[in-house]
Amino acid sequence: MSDHAPRSHDQVHGHDHDHVFLGARHARNERRTWAVIALTSAMMVIEIAAGTLYGSMALVADGWHMSTHAAALLITALAYLLARRHARDRRFTFGTGKFGDLAGFASAVVLAVVALLIGWESAMRLLDPVPIDFGQATVVAVIGLLVNLGSAALLHEGHDHGHGQDHRHDHGHGHGHSPHAQDNNLRAAYLHVLADALTSVLAIAALIGGRIGGWVWLDPLIGLLGALVIARWSLGLLRSAGGVLVDFIPEEEELPAEIRAALETGCDRITDLHVWQLGPGHHGAIVALRSGDPRPPDHYRGKLSHLHEISHLTLEVRPA
């Protein structure tokens, strides 16, 4: 590295710098996930108790289904908890921002298994129909739908666009996280709830059709359709979370091009560039420049000051 080579903020200011790369709404998302788990668990207990008391196997079965739903959401909640508790643990070189992506990937696998189970059960029932208590099953499906819609509203990312941010990260040039960054951990929980809501809607439609027209085959057929939709959601989440885990930057990501546009001016040329995601709204960047007129570190940081997604920057400049 030349005498004029800008270095990372850590290297310039020692080792007192925090590598906290949690999402802008980490605390809010964690609270809401625990609230959904509480809601789901309460509904589970009520359904199992009511089903046992009134002799309804449909209610008991849906209650135990709720327990698997709560267990999947627990993955999301624990990821938020562990990421927050270990946010300043120096053993995690680039912080704990990827905990959510790891949990999201695990949840996507669970979602894929759920899709397979629903598909298998639906196929079996299509080949060997079973009698259905349409009235009782419809009540259960409606109750499940209401609970899932309430949970989905809590987990929806479309609110609080960056207001009251929980963590502010600065590397000497005003860079912080993007308030609109996708949180794969929350997305996983949302998809689990949405998958349940979808199966409830499809079940209600199938039960009404079966009750009116006697179409017993409609229930498993719609079950197969629901399994395909859930499998597609799972695949999308696997790609998104898995890509972050292996430092894959999708083609639609504009940050690398924006870095080049900002730094490649005059006689300055980028010879090596690495960009990767550190957490929701946080990116790391390693930039190697060749310049005919090397400048001080603050000059190059200033040229990148408008790119708020960069939370960790390492620069190297060599004379041309």
Side-chain angles (χ1 to χ4, degrees):
M1 184 179 287
S2 71
D3 292 338
H4 296 281
R7 294 167 291 174
S8 71
H9 191 273
D10 311 69
Q11 294 168 319
V12 173
H13 295 283
H15 297 284
D16 294 330
H17 176 66
D18 288 327
H19 288 76
V20 180
F21 302 124
L22 304 183
R25 291 166 285 182
H26 187 95
R28 171 257 198 195
N29 293 346
E30 182 180 353
R31 287 193 303 270
R32 293 196 175 192
T33 302
W34 284 115
V36 171
I37 290 174
L39 178 63
T40 303
S41 300
M43 195 64 220
M44 172 194 74
V45 171
I46 291 171
E47 285 192 340
I48 292 175
T52 303
L53 183 63
Y54 300 117
S56 169
M57 283 310 298
L59 275 174
V60 173
D62 197 64
W64 285 113
H65 169 70
M66 281 280 192
S67 70
T68 62
H69 177 52
L73 288 170
L74 193 60
I75 297 174
T76 300
L78 289 177
Y80 280 127
L81 177 65
L82 292 172
R84 176 171 52 82
R85 286 189 174 179
H86 295 281
R88 289 178 172 80
D89 189 333
R90 297 191 184 279
R91 291 175 295 178
F92 297 98
T93 305
F94 284 107
T96 56
K98 286 187 179 181
F99 273 36
D101 298 289
L102 181 60
F105 190 86
S107 291
V109 173
V110 174
L111 205 59
V113 172
V114 168
L116 286 173
L117 291 176
I118 292 175
W120 175 261
E121 180 66 21
S122 297
M124 291 299 99
R125 290 195 176 197
L126 196 60
L127 295 173
D128 185 19
V130 297
I132 301 172
D133 186 334
F134 293 107
Q136 195 177 83
T138 303
V139 171
V140 173
V142 170
I143 292 173
L145 176 60
L146 293 175
V147 171
N148 287 317
L149 289 177
S151 299
L154 280 172
L155 296 176
H156 186 50
E157 277 193 290
H159 305 292
D160 296 344
H161 291 294
H163 302 298
Q165 293 178 351
D166 304 306
H167 297 277
R168 182 71 183 170
H169 192 77
D170 196 291
H171 268 258
H173 42 59
H175 292 174
H177 48 254
S178 168
H180 302 287
Q182 177 176 277
D183 185 336
N184 281 318
N185 197 25
L186 189 72
R187 183 186 171 202
Y190 182 67
L191 286 181
H192 272 287
V193 171
L194 212 59
D196 264 7
L198 173 68
T199 54
S200 296
V201 170
L202 294 177
I204 291 170
L207 290 167
I208 291 174
R211 190 171 187 175
I212 295 174
W215 305 323
V216 179
W217 50 266
L218 188 60
D219 184 74
L221 190 64
I222 287 185
L224 284 173
L225 175 63
L228 290 174
V229 173
I230 295 170
R232 184 178 178 183
W233 288 347
S234 170
L235 182 60
L237 184 56
L238 282 169
R239 286 176 175 172
S240 178
V244 174
L245 293 175
V246 298
D247 298 328
F248 174 79
I249 297 295
E251 291 183 1
E252 60 269 20
E253 174 60 64
E254 299 176 353
L255 189 56
E258 290 173 338
I259 292 174
R260 289 187 180 277
L263 293 180
E264 290 189 326
T265 58
C267 58
D268 297 336
R269 290 293 176 267
I270 293 176
T271 58
D272 195 19
L273 175 63
H274 297 277
V275 178
W276 70 101
Q277 186 170 319
L278 299 167
H282 294 284
H283 285 78
I286 298 175
V287 186
L289 278 168
R290 191 173 295 278
S291 175
D293 180 25
R295 306 293 295 276
D298 287 345
H299 170 75
Y300 298 99
R301 284 205 180 89
K303 294 175 76 171
L304 295 174
S305 61
H306 64 290
L307 301 179
H308 302 291
E309 301 96 325
I310 302 177
S311 297
H312 192 284
L313 175 65
T314 301
L315 280 163
E316 181 183 31
V317 180
R318 295 184 180 278

